[in-house]
Amino acid sequence: MKYFIANWKANKNEKEADSWAQSFLGLIEKDDVLQKSIEKTEIEIVVCPPFPFISTVKSLLKESSVKIGAQDISYFGGGAYTGEVSARMLTGVIDYVLVGHSERRQYFHEKDYTIDQKVANAKEAGIEPILCVRGNHDVIPGGVGIVAYEPVEAIGSGANQPVEKTLEMRSGLHIGRDTAFLYGGSVTEDNALEYVGQDKIDGLLVGGASLDPGRFYKIINSAL
Ligand code: PGA
């Protein structure tokens, strides 16, 4: 199974989110090869819009097999925490959640213990956490089934990490074959195949290039 995860970050307004979902649906609906790969669970497409647009995107894509994810969840279980969105609130709304993205670690000072708790909260709520790590100094809590390796210098820089280095990092993380290993950092339609063509790379986490439905679609197509 290869995962293709779109991380929109803090981009788009409602109209743009709506139009992305409609265009993307138009592209994937008429692609029989892609539909078959999804049916055969060879690929899994996950879109992570910002919270306000999750329900818009979800309802526009409801007839498709595209899954919805969130970009973060609260460390808290719920209650008097103004502005927070707890895992429990997202049960039944999303299937996946990004946890520990390097931008959360950098700008919101998330630490390993916070990330650990978020992973536990997601799992308890029946949501699959996608743990983002910057390298092998980041702790991978037990029970994590999907790890996305994103070297900080490769994110949004246009300088994607060479695939050999990525595979070296995979070995350095000491994860078993039952843990999906994803790469993220300046993935484009031109370099996606280098990664997903590797047996030991189970998918891609795509930021900038996922903002355009046509580019994200091309990235997915590189695996077919
Ligand atoms: P990028 O972002 O594809 O724009 O480099 C990846 C990410 O941070 O998830």
Side-chain angles (χ1 to χ4, degrees):
M1 161 101 93
K2 301 279 183 190
Y3 292 89
F4 292 90
I5 313 207
N7 174 15
W8 291 2
K9 308 189 180 183
N11 290 295
K12 297 194 187 294
N13 58 26
E14 193 178 21
K15 204 164 150 252
E16 290 159 351
D18 192 287
S19 122
W20 188 102
Q22 296 206 36
S23 310
F24 189 64
L25 186 63
L27 290 167
I28 59 169
E29 260 180 353
K30 53 177 194 262
D31 188 332
D32 295 338
V33 179
L34 175 61
Q35 292 304 332
K36 283 221 174 66
S37 301
I38 298 173
E39 268 166 44
K40 288 197 266 174
T41 63
E42 287 167 358
I43 67 170
E44 174 95 321
I45 304 172
V46 183
V47 182
C48 304
F51 283 127
F53 313 133
I54 282 180
S55 65
T56 306
V57 173
K58 187 181 157 97
S59 76
L60 284 165
L61 297 179
K62 71 173 182 298
E63 303 299 333
S64 78
S65 318
V66 175
K67 302 287 185 353
I68 305 295
Q71 297 172 19
D72 185 34
I73 45 163
S74 182
Y75 161 83
F76 298 104
Y81 301 101
T82 303
E84 286 294 271
V85 178
S86 73
R88 188 178 162 266
M89 288 154 71
L90 293 165
T91 302
V93 179
I94 57 166
D95 293 298
Y96 294 92
V97 64
L98 302 178
V99 176
H101 191 282
S102 65
E103 288 150 13
R104 304 283 329 161
R105 296 179 195 255
Q106 183 182 351
Y107 303 120
F108 305 95
H109 314 294
E110 291 195 5
K111 299 281 178 279
D112 285 335
Y113 74 89
T114 331
I115 290 162
D116 222 79
Q117 187 61 52
K118 288 185 177 196
V119 164
N121 291 353
K123 289 191 81 91
E124 203 187 312
I127 299 163
E128 186 70 45
I130 299 164
L131 180 79
C132 302
V133 297
R134 300 162 296 181
N136 54 14
H137 53 288
D138 286 332
V139 177
I140 302 179
V144 165
I146 308 175
V147 170
Y149 163 54
E150 298 201 304
V152 173
E153 65 281 4
I155 296 178
S157 63
N160 59 299
Q161 184 171 80
V163 72
E164 303 73 39
K165 265 192 113 177
T166 303
L167 287 168
E168 259 170 47
M169 181 54 70
R170 190 196 178 286
S171 313
L173 289 173
H174 303 294
I175 50 173
R177 204 58 195 96
D178 52 342
T179 303
F181 174 78
L182 278 49
Y183 168 76
S186 296
V187 169
T188 66
E189 56 278 41
D190 298 324
N191 61 32
L193 178 59
E194 290 171 37
Y195 300 95
V196 288
Q198 301 288 328
D199 182 46
K200 286 188 168 164
I201 300 181
D202 305 299
L204 297 167
L205 177 51
V206 189
S210 78
L211 295 174
D212 177 331
R215 292 186 70 192
F216 186 51
Y217 171 72
K218 279 190 192 156
I219 288 170
I220 297 164
N221 252 278
S222 67
L224 303 178

